[in-house]
Structures are given as C-alpha cells and as structure tokens.
Amino acid sequence: MASSPRLTHLQSLEAESIHILRETAAELQRPVLLYSMGKDSAVLLHLAKKAFFPGKLPFPLLHVDTTWKFRDMYAMRDRAAAEHELIVYRNPDAAARNINPFEHGSELHTQLWKTEGLRRALAEYGFDAAIGGARRDEEKSRAKERIFSLRSAHQRWDPKNQRPELWSLYNTRVRPGESFRVFPLSNWTELDVWQYIEAERIPVAPLYFSAERRVVRRSGAWIMMDDERMQIEAGEQPEMRRVRFRTLGCYPLSGAVESEAESVGDIIREIAESRASERQGRLIDQDTPSSMEKKKQDGYF
Amino acid sequence: MPGAKSLLRLVACGSVDDGKSTLIGRLLYDLGAIPDDQLEALARDSRSIGTRGGELDFALLVDGLMAEREQGVTIDVAYRYFATEKRTFVVADAPGHTQYTRNMATAASNADVALLLIDARKGVLTQTRRHAFIASLMGVKQAVLAITKMDLIGYDKTRYHRIVSDFVALAETLEIPRLAAIPVSGVGGDNIVARSASTPWYDGPTLIELLETAEPSEADRADRPLRMAVQSVARPNLDFRGFSGRLSAGRVKPGDAVRVLPSGRTANVARIVTADGDLPEAIAGQSVTLTLDHEIDCSRGDVIAAADAPCEIADQFQATVIWMSDTPLFPGRRYGLKIGAAQANATITEIRYGFDIDSFQHTPEKQLDANGIGVCNVSLDRDIPFDPFERNRETGGFILIDLDTGETAGTGLIHFALRRAHNVHWQALEVDREAHAAIKGQRPAILWFTGLSGAGKSTIANLVEKRLHSLGRHTVLLDGDNIRHGLNRDLGFTPADRVENIRRIAEVAKLMADAGLIVLVSFISPFRQERELARGLAKQGEFFEIHVDTPLEVAEQRDVKGLYKKARAGQLKNFTGIDSPYEPPARPEIHIDAVNTSPADAAEAIVKAIGAAISR
Ligand SMILES: Nc1nc2c(ncn2[C@@H]2O[C@H](COP(=O)(O)OP(=O)(O)OP(=O)(O)O)[C@@H](O)[C@H]2O)c(=O)[nH]1
Ligand SMILES: [Mg+2]
C-alpha cells in the first residue's frame, strides 16, 4: 500500500461531479438543472450548491411537470423553490388534451408530458445544457452514455456516434440548435447515492421510507392511491401495506416495494441485500424492450 | 466507513469478437452482481436474440444498445460498477471493432488496468496490438492478459503458453511493466471467480483475485507537485475572490506558495474554501476553491501550481496524436485545442512519423486517417501551461476539436516543449480555399441580388453588407453599375454582351468566394439561364439567389434614375421590363417583397437567413 493519503470513493465521486457542474456553468451559455424531486435530484442539487459555494447557483432549476406526481414531491418542490429560482413547465398540449395515465396509457402520457414537455421547455427558454441526475448503473442504454451527451437540433441522441470523452476533458462545443444533456452522477450507483445522502444528511421525500400506505396490486407492482384521481380497475382491492419507493415518478406509474426500511441506514442495508434492480417498479420502462433507449433517442431524459 | 474501499478502474479491450463483453457479463454474473429481474430479462433476451443458441449469452448484460444486441457487436463503451469485499470496480467494456477504436481510447483514458482479451483460437491480432498500444500510450502500466475461449481449444496448455509468450514480447516493446496472464472461458466461467478444474496446469490467482490486488495507477498523485486547473473565478461579493478547480496532483495548505501559470506570478494560499467549511489541507482529486493572500491576475484556464515546481509553458510542443475523425488530420489545418480548462487554436505543423501497428516501425505520413497514430509537432496561438503526459494525464493530455463540426477529432499526449527554432519548418502547408475562409472565421457565400432596375437591390445589398461588416464578417460588394464602369466597360447591352457581362461577374464572384469572402452581387440579371450559370460556378450551398421583387408599375413609378422615362420615350434600347423581358426566379433561396418590406427589414431578414451558412 502506498502511504500517501487518498480520497474515499464517495469523496472522489463528489469531486468529479463538482468538476462537471463547474465545467457546465463555465462553458455553456444557458444551462439549467432538471429537478425532479427524487433522491438523485436531491443529491444533484446538494452537489451544485457545494460546487458554487459561497456563491449562488449560476443556473435555474427546471421541473417538467406532468401534474401526476406524488403530493409529497410537490411539497419538496415548493421547498426548493423557496431557496432557488425554479421554473415549472407543463406542456400546454398535454394540459389541453387532459392527458393522463389512465385513459391514455403510460406510453402516451410519458411521451407528451415528459419527453415533449422537456423538449418544448428547453426550446422555449433556449437552454443549451440540461443537467440531470441520471446514472449509468440505472439501465443498460444509460450505461453507454457520455457525461456530456450531445443532442441534435431535434434533441435526438445518436448512440452510435457519440463524441469521444477522454480523461475529464469535455468538449462542450455546440452548433446552433444543438444542446447537451449533462450527467454529473454518471459514475454513481444507487448505493453510492444513499451512502452520500446518509453522510451529508440530505433531505429526501418521505416516500422513500417505509410506511403504511393505501395501495392496489397492478401489473405485479404496488401502486399507491396518492389522491382522489386514482382510478381503480375491476378486481383491484385497495389495501394498506408497509411499502416504500426506490424510484419516484408519476404516482400511478411508480411501483412500491414491500419494505421495513424506515431510515437511510435501513435502506442502505436493504439495497445491499436486494436481488431486484432499482427500476423494477417503473412501469414506463417496461412498455417495450429497449424502450428506454428509444425514449432517449426521442429526447426523453 | 462507507465508501472507504479503494477503487480500481478497468478497461476490457482486444480484437472484435474475442469475447470481452461475454467475459465482463460472466464476471458480473458470477459475482452475483446481476439483480433477479435483469437475470430474467437475460434469459429471455438470450432466447430471442442471443448468439449462443438459447443458452445464456452474457454479452447481452453489457451490450445495451439496440444496434449492438441486433448485430452481436459492441459499438460503444459500457460502464459497469461492482464491488467485492475488498474493493470497488468500474469496468469499461470497450468495443473491439476497428471502426470504434475511438471509443476504446475513451475507455482507456481513465483506466488503471487493461484487461486485454485474446481469443485462444486466434492469438495476437493486429487489433490486439493496436489496443495494447493505445492503452500503453494512455499511460496504463498494468495489463491482465486473458486468453479466453479456452473451452474451444480443449484447454490446451501449449497453445496458451505460446500466445502468452507472443504477447510478452509485445508488452516489452510497449513498456507495459506489469503483466499477468490467465486462461479463462467466458462461456464456461473458468478461472473468473472460481478456479477451473479444466486447467490443472494453471496455479495462479483467479481473475477477480488478480483485479483485487492490482495497484491503482495514479496512487501517488498526491505526492507530486501541486496542479490545479482553474475552472472559474468565484466572486459572490466584492470581498471574496476565489479560484475554483479540482487538484489533479499534489496537495495544498493555507500558507503554501503557489505560482499562477502562464503569467508566473506568485502568491500564498490564504484559505481552502468548501461548503463544509475551510479545510486545513486538500489533496489530489478534490474539488475546492482557493483564495490567495493578495490580488493577482488569474482566470479560467490558468493553472495554480506549486511555486517551486511549476509546470512548463509553451506554445509549441511535440505530442503523440491519436486521430479519431473520419476527416483526416492535415498539417496546416486549424483545430480547437482543450487542455484542462484552457482552450487555444492549434495547428499540426509537422507529422514527424506514424506507426505501422504490426511492427511498430516508424512510417512517414502526410496525413493521419481515423485510428492513425502519429508523433506530431503542434503549434498554438497562445502559451499554455502543461506537464509531459507521462507525469500527469490531466495537464498533459489534450483534445483536438474540428472547428466546423464541433466533433472531437483527435487526442494528443504531450511529450515536451519545442523551442521556436525547432519548428520553423512547416510541412506541406497548403493555403487553400478552406484555409482562406477559416482564417476569417466564416464560410464564403455568394448573395446574388436580382430584380428590376429600381427594385431596391443596391439599397438592400448595401444595408446587408453594413450589417455583416458590423458582425465581423469579411465582405465585398459587386454592383452592376460599378462593374460596368471598369471591368466590363467594353460591353454593351446586346444579348451576347449581356451573357459575357454576367460570366465575368460570376467568375469574379467565384474567385472572391475562393478567397473566403462573402460576396454580394447586385445586378439586374434578368435571364434565368445566366443566373443558373453563376450558380453553377459556385460551390454547392454557397449560392443564394435573392429576388428583390418589385412590380414593374412600382419600379417605374419610383424611377429613381429616370431610366424608365427614357426607355418609354425610346431613348434606351433593350431596357429590362420595357422592351426586354425579366424572368423572375422560380425558386430563389430568398424572396423579398420589396413593396411591403422596408429595406432595413429586408436586410435583417437576409442576414438572418444566411446566418447558419456563413458561420463556422
Ligand atoms: N465458446 C466460447 N465462446 C465465447 C467465449 N467468449 C465469447 N464467446 C462467443 O464469441 C462471440 C463474441 O463474443 P463477445 O463477448 O460479443 O465479443 P466482444 O469481444 O465483446 O466483441 P466486440 O465487443 O464486438 O469487439 C459470441 O458469440 C460469444 O458467445 C468463450 O469463452 N467460449
Ligand atoms: Mg463486446
């Protein structure tokens, strides 16, 4: 063993993410941080605050709303908005057509509210870099993506022709209309995120912790009845279960897992032993095989 | 303590189809790192698109793109993360196909160890050599040589040893000092996590044991002299001025003397500011904000270095360049260069030599094609601070950016600075059309204004030129009237003279476009065929036919020069619109309704319409 001091794994990850955030702010004209109220967003926001300390964030936050998030998530958002400039964008088309996951299905719902909503928001505000909390360990096509991921003028990702990305040198050049998705958490795993949340005492939505919740069984997952808009299908029986969420999205599309984990420490132990992947509960990833890659090519985060 | 385990970064490389993805997939599988739902998907995918006749195809665990799964090849790097009791790992599974060599270089750039695979049936191939070469250039000093598909050669010990000794010779040439070899099978799982019964003659460690004991390559980074590339200057209020960046080497404490490069000014560190409070010390790898004891000039791209062991400064150096673009590297062409947080314009002044991958002999080269590797002299338009690459990857490695497309066209590893005198000899520098335009920072274009006499062509063309000029564009305006007074004063208005007139103007416009200029031609040019001739001389996409559309009645009513009156009176023959026809363009690039649009608005619209075409 060399005697020289070394950073811990979490310290290196933190330093790398801060470096990426500072590069984004220094080199892009108009970056924005996508804030979705989940644990990854919470970590990302925390890192951004650290990156620009003692200054303020040099970019606004953007939430591309679907109107179908959990109530707890909207409460989180309000807290973030009290502290930072936060833009809420709702795709007016989706709003006008009253798009919802029950009548229109998860695919169209996601397409219009999220993919199309993000696309329009970026275009309307002229953002040339959208910073997001996606991680490579989440999904097999994400594992392939660069940290600075180029989008064409049509916001498309071309996975077969990505820019080489050497060391920590990021080529941030864009032509008119082109933009970047920047992923400072690329090299973090779910476990890293929770260990960091524990170490830094970062507040996250209570939905991550186990509690008695009103749920129904649907497509092999527990769906929470978060508000009165929830539609029950024939044969479904609402019941109370001790559940928690590993990822958060629109409540009718987010599957909860049965769990006793009530603290961050419990969650870390649970994940270390878990045999199921993080995204298992997400109904939208399972529409078609490789559906994440297709969505990403279309401009989904 | 969570996250206290050491981290090892691994690149899996080797020739196409040698079994890299299968081995990595198998490693993850044998370590139990694959969640159950992904295992179910693997079983399903193996049956529908696997290459193993329905048996588990472990490559599908890492080949995550649709195109990869359909074709059974890796296109881009997959990053996977796993941990054992002893340490955490990031493995980058690189593609073997020659076409995607740049992605392998991407994967190798951050690696501590190269896991180099060789198909036991095929032995060392050209692409194996190329990958080993790139890994060694990238500063990877340790390799694990995995001879895989041992199941397909009946676990033949003799053949295994022959391949290993072939490679040992190669590793010596490439200066990969630490090398271990191991017989494996990705499909059979031999010697990956568990020792194989099929290779009783092999008594070394398993693959995972080898990886758990390998030494991270830059373990001693913190013991080298301080280097921090300044990413930004933090100025939250008038009383605070800090320099933010990530230490790539060394350590720093308040009170330490530092030197800011390239200016060379010195100061002492006052505070190490972080959101967690001031630090007593920061070490390599940390992102911090430093404040200094007195105001000195320091901005993004500068390097803060140890005062007594600063980096070098130069605007010319020798470097090994790995080319990645399908457009070849030519000496004399300009590229954007990024190193650390600094940017400059760079020209390769000379390709000293390239390499023949099969022999590693030096070869003379006039250009570097995609995947070409050459030792080059590089000249910059400003001084930059740097270290030789072998001393520090972050301050010695750069990328070259194509100024037209923005793509990362190549990467370079600095060896040493050149004194100016070494480099006065420029190789085959061709000052061509491209070079003319590039130095002006624009793309040439020909704006061909056509329309009736008095339609407003010259007025609008003048405004367009003024606007372009104010935007820093290099322009020239050829006005029909002026040209007729000089170059074309021998020509009249007969049909033959009209054709000659336009031919000359079109030729002049073309020459000026070749000189890199934006050429504005304001000329009635009534005949479609003539305008097509002019278009034909121009380069595709550079010709803009602009129809300044004013109806005859309006033009005649304005009659600024009194010409219509004369023509009506029969004093002017062959006057366009009166006794000679005007053929309006069928599909002009730009159409201006000159009755309802003010000249200023028209000019603005034109400048906007050509904006993208003239920008680089
Ligand atoms: N019998 C046998 N077949 C193998 C072994 N390893 C890989 N293969 C087969 O070899 C083929 C290529 O394997 P991959 O793992 O995709 O090779 P690769 O090196 O990742 O290929 P690229 O990434 O495209 O360069 C597949 O059909 C594998 O099933 C092995 O150990 N034994
Ligand atoms: Mg592969």
Side-chain angles (χ1 to χ4, degrees):
Chain A
M1 258 334 242
S3 62
S4 66
R6 282 193 207 165
L7 302 184
T8 66
H9 181 48
L10 284 181
Q11 284 174 323
S12 308
L13 287 172
E14 176 190 80
E16 179 189 56
S17 302
I18 289 176
H19 175 259
I20 294 164
L21 286 160
R22 288 173 174 171
E23 280 301 285
T24 312
E27 294 216 336
L28 278 305
Q29 300 286 324
R30 200 158 154 64
V32 67
L33 188 145
L34 294 190
Y35 181 73
S36 64
M37 296 88 81
K39 63 185 186 301
D40 303 309
S41 282
V43 167
L44 194 57
L45 181 56
H46 184 80
L47 288 165
K49 284 196 259 182
K50 283 194 159 190
F52 302 104
F53 179 86
K56 287 210 289 270
L57 295 195
F59 37 67
L61 313 186
L62 169 66
H63 176 230
V64 179
D65 194 9
T66 66
T67 71
W68 287 92
K69 302 290 171 192
F70 291 88
R71 283 172 302 173
D72 271 353
M73 293 171 73
Y74 289 116
M76 286 284 293
R77 189 181 72 187
D78 293 343
R79 278 197 291 278
E83 215 186 316
H84 309 279
E85 181 191 352
L86 186 145
I87 301 165
V88 175
Y89 188 89
R90 295 183 198 92
N91 178 5
D93 273 357
R97 291 167 61 186
N98 192 20
I99 297 293
N100 65 74
F102 301 113
E103 286 157 50
H104 303 97
S106 65
E107 215 159 330
L108 186 71
H109 172 80
T110 310
Q111 164 66 26
L112 277 179
W113 279 115
K114 291 182 76 175
T115 310
E116 196 53 36
L118 174 63
R119 218 204 298 242
R120 291 181 62 151
L122 297 183
E124 278 178 33
Y125 286 92
F127 294 124
D128 58 357
I131 306 163
R135 293 175 279 111
R136 285 173 174 154
D137 89 321
E138 278 178 78
E139 198 272 340
K140 60 184 184 296
S141 68
R142 285 216 203 278
K144 296 266 162 183
E145 195 160 5
R146 297 283 185 262
I147 291 174
F148 277 72
S149 186
L150 188 66
R151 293 294 185 278
S152 72
H154 304 289
Q155 309 240 7
R156 290 184 68 84
W157 180 48
D158 182 1
K160 287 197 270 184
N161 195 19
Q162 302 193 79
R163 280 187 184 168
E165 199 164 77
L166 295 119
W167 309 291
S168 45
L169 273 184
Y170 305 109
N171 172 2
T172 58
R173 217 163 277 228
V174 284
R175 287 185 287 178
E178 290 177 342
S179 61
F180 279 104
R181 301 287 190 276
V182 182
F183 302 114
L185 304 184
S186 284
N187 290 324
W188 296 57
T189 64
E190 185 188 12
L191 196 56
D192 296 330
V193 165
W194 281 112
Q195 288 180 341
Y196 190 69
I197 287 170
E198 181 175 55
E200 300 280 307
R201 295 194 194 86
I202 302 170
V204 293
L207 296 156
Y208 287 112
F209 304 105
S210 177
E212 290 276 329
R213 297 192 165 96
R214 229 167 119 73
V215 291
V216 296
R217 193 78 184 153
R218 181 176 294 177
S219 308
W222 291 110
I223 301 297
M224 179 172 158
M225 307 183 54
D226 193 53
D227 63 33
E228 67 297 338
R229 294 176 299 173
M230 174 76 182
Q231 295 179 15
I232 306 286
E233 285 162 23
E236 285 177 347
Q237 205 40 257
E239 56 188 295
M240 296 303 287
R241 288 268 170 173
R242 284 193 69 77
V243 293
R244 70 175 203 90
F245 293 86
R246 279 179 83 176
T247 67
L248 294 176
C250 293
Y251 79 79
L253 301 174
S254 300
V257 292
E258 291 188 69
S259 166
E260 295 296 329
E262 290 176 353
S263 67
V264 178
D266 290 348
I267 290 175
I268 291 170
R269 277 183 291 281
E270 186 185 279
I271 295 170
E273 284 156 21
S274 168
R275 295 291 316 151
S277 79
E278 177 184 7
R279 300 184 78 82
Q280 194 184 27
R282 286 218 187 176
L283 300 189
I284 60 163
D285 292 351
Q286 293 155 15
D287 295 339
T288 51
S290 297
S291 64
M292 173 62 82
E293 184 181 346
K294 283 201 194 97
K295 278 202 276 283
K296 282 169 66 65
Q297 287 192 22
D298 288 344
Y300 179 73
F301 212 73
Chain B
M1 182 181 166
K5 284 188 239 177
S6 73
L7 171 73
L8 193 80
R9 291 164 306 178
L10 191 67
V11 55
C13 52
S15 189
V16 66
D17 271 347
D18 275 3
K20 299 176 287 299
S21 302
T22 305
L23 185 72
I24 297 305
R26 180 72 198 222
L27 179 65
L28 295 169
Y29 178 86
D30 285 356
L31 287 171
I34 309 293
D36 288 343
D37 48 315
Q38 286 179 12
L39 285 179
E40 282 164 33
L42 172 66
R44 248 189 341 263
D45 295 346
S46 297
R47 280 191 296 277
S48 57
I49 49 170
T51 61
R52 307 221 45 90
E55 297 289 300
L56 289 187
D57 183 349
F58 296 106
L60 292 173
L61 288 172
V62 274
D63 286 339
L65 299 174
M66 286 183 283
E68 294 178 329
R69 299 157 77 80
E70 282 157 13
Q71 299 164 34
V73 297
T74 305
I75 292 173
D76 213 328
V77 192
Y79 294 91
R80 298 295 304 240
Y81 308 82
F82 61 95
T84 64
E85 295 283 299
K86 301 218 170 67
R87 67 161 37 138
T88 55
F89 296 87
V90 181
V91 52
D93 177 36
H97 198 292
T98 333
Q99 191 186 338
Y100 307 119
T101 303
R102 58 174 183 267
N103 296 335
M104 180 271 166
T106 292
S109 70
N110 286 316
D112 300 308
V113 174
L115 174 59
L116 203 82
L117 271 83
I118 297 185
D119 183 332
R121 298 168 305 171
K122 298 189 195 149
V124 176
L125 303 174
T126 301
Q127 185 70 349
T128 319
R129 302 172 68 88
R130 181 177 285 119
H131 276 193
F133 188 30
I134 292 176
S136 85
L137 288 175
M138 289 289 174
V140 178
K141 299 277 176 237
Q142 281 178 95
V144 173
L145 183 68
I147 315 293
T148 190
K149 308 198 191 180
M150 287 299 293
D151 55 313
L152 295 180
I153 59 159
Y155 300 93
D156 181 353
K157 168 185 168 187
T158 321
R159 188 154 170 78
Y160 166 78
H161 284 299
R162 198 163 59 233
I163 299 174
V164 172
S165 61
D166 281 353
F167 190 84
V168 166
L170 176 64
E172 276 166 15
T173 346
L174 293 180
E175 295 172 30
I176 300 178
R178 272 171 286 165
L179 182 69
I182 183 171
V184 297
S185 161
V187 165
D190 302 270
N191 296 327
I192 296 176
V193 171
R195 207 163 296 281
S196 169
S198 308
T199 53
W201 43 268
Y202 173 78
D203 55 7
T206 59
L207 179 61
I208 194 70
E209 286 164 356
L210 275 173
L211 298 179
E212 281 181 332
T213 50
E215 184 68 4
S217 59
E218 299 206 295
D220 64 341
R221 276 204 303 175
D223 298 333
R224 300 180 210 167
L226 169 71
R227 299 288 183 265
M228 186 186 96
V230 175
Q231 289 186 276
S232 51
V233 180
R235 289 229 71 170
N237 57 59
L238 290 177
D239 303 325
F240 189 92
R241 189 168 135 90
F243 306 100
S244 301
R246 188 179 188 191
L247 274 66
S248 68
R251 51 179 88 194
V252 66
K253 288 198 281 291
D256 284 358
V258 293
R259 191 179 296 273
V260 174
L261 301 165
S263 76
R265 293 198 182 81
T266 54
N268 293 316
V269 173
R271 296 170 56 200
I272 304 170
V273 179
T274 76
D276 302 316
D278 283 11
L279 302 183
E281 182 177 34
I283 61 167
Q286 263 174 307
S287 286
V288 295
T289 296
L290 303 180
T291 64
L292 303 179
D293 64 351
H294 63 270
E295 288 264 326
I296 55 175
D297 189 27
C298 176
S299 54
R300 175 169 167 83
D302 290 350
V303 171
I304 294 180
D308 54 358
C311 23
E312 296 176 50
I313 299 166
D315 62 355
Q316 303 195 23
F317 40 74
Q318 194 165 99
T320 296
V321 171
I322 304 171
W323 199 244
M324 298 170 161
S325 167
D326 293 331
T327 313
L329 174 152
F330 291 111
R333 192 162 282 179
R334 245 168 29 130
Y335 299 97
L337 177 143
K338 187 173 180 190
I339 181 168
Q343 308 227 21
N345 284 311
T347 309
I348 307 298
T349 50
E350 186 185 349
I351 302 175
R352 297 183 55 85
Y353 51 85
F355 294 94
D356 172 36
I357 298 296
D358 286 311
S359 64
F360 296 114
Q361 298 289 329
H362 297 177
T363 56
E365 304 289 347
K366 288 215 152 43
Q367 64 184 62
L368 288 183
D369 295 323
N371 305 334
I373 301 173
V375 170
C376 302
N377 288 355
V378 186
S379 167
L380 306 186
D381 61 355
R382 49 167 290 220
D383 279 336
I384 53 151
F386 75 95
D387 286 297
F389 180 79
E390 59 171 25
R391 235 177 284 152
N392 186 327
R393 289 185 194 189
E394 307 270 339
T395 47
F398 60 84
I399 53 170
L400 292 169
I401 300 168
D402 184 309
L403 292 169
D404 282 350
T405 61
E407 70 177 331
T408 304
T411 182
L413 321 164
I414 299 181
H415 301 308
F416 49 80
L418 293 170
R419 269 185 291 133
R420 247 164 260 268
H422 286 176
N423 211 29
V424 287
H425 185 73
W426 286 54
Q427 177 190 317
L429 170 57
E430 249 182 84
V431 184
D432 56 5
R433 182 174 209 282
E434 172 59 29
H436 288 135
I439 203 167
K440 299 182 179 69
Q442 64 187 30
R443 284 172 193 288
I446 298 174
L447 312 185
W448 193 281
F449 293 80
T450 172
L452 293 171
S453 174
K457 296 182 297 298
S458 297
T459 313
I460 295 173
N462 265 310
L463 289 171
V464 170
E465 187 177 33
K466 274 189 199 145
R467 183 79 188 108
L468 289 174
H469 187 79
S470 75
L471 293 171
R473 300 300 184 193
H474 301 249
T475 58
V476 62
L477 176 64
L478 304 177
D479 194 290
D481 290 347
N482 299 339
I483 295 276
R484 275 199 173 275
H485 291 141
L487 178 65
N488 289 357
R489 74 175 164 218
D490 56 329
L491 301 177
F493 290 89
T494 65
D497 279 0
R498 274 182 186 277
V499 172
E500 176 57 13
N501 183 32
I502 201 129
R503 189 191 68 78
R504 289 187 196 172
I505 292 180
E507 287 287 354
V508 170
K510 173 186 177 283
L511 287 172
M512 296 205 164
D514 284 347
L517 294 168
I518 296 162
V519 188
L520 298 90
V521 179
S522 163
F523 194 70
I524 300 175
S525 43
F527 301 120
R528 222 167 265 152
Q529 220 183 340
E530 299 168 349
R531 295 192 302 261
E532 285 313 306
L533 174 115
R535 180 189 294 275
L537 285 172
K539 238 186 115 194
Q540 184 91 33
E542 287 182 2
F543 190 85
F544 294 84
E545 192 174 14
I546 302 171
H547 184 195
V548 181
D549 194 357
T550 309
L552 182 61
E553 315 81 74
V554 180
E556 191 168 353
Q557 206 174 16
R558 288 184 193 159
D559 204 6
V560 199
K561 300 176 200 158
L563 296 176
Y564 284 95
K565 215 153 132 207
K566 281 192 192 165
R568 287 283 184 211
Q571 291 162 332
L572 274 179
K573 286 274 168 252
N574 294 323
F575 193 79
T576 302
I578 307 298
D579 54 347
S580 181
Y582 177 80
E583 300 172 2
R587 269 188 304 277
E589 272 75 12
I590 301 170
H591 177 264
I592 302 292
D593 173 356
V595 178
N596 297 310
T597 317
S598 74
D601 287 349
E604 204 50 50
I606 292 167
V607 170
K608 205 168 158 219
I610 63 165
I614 61 172
S615 314
R616 294 190 74 83

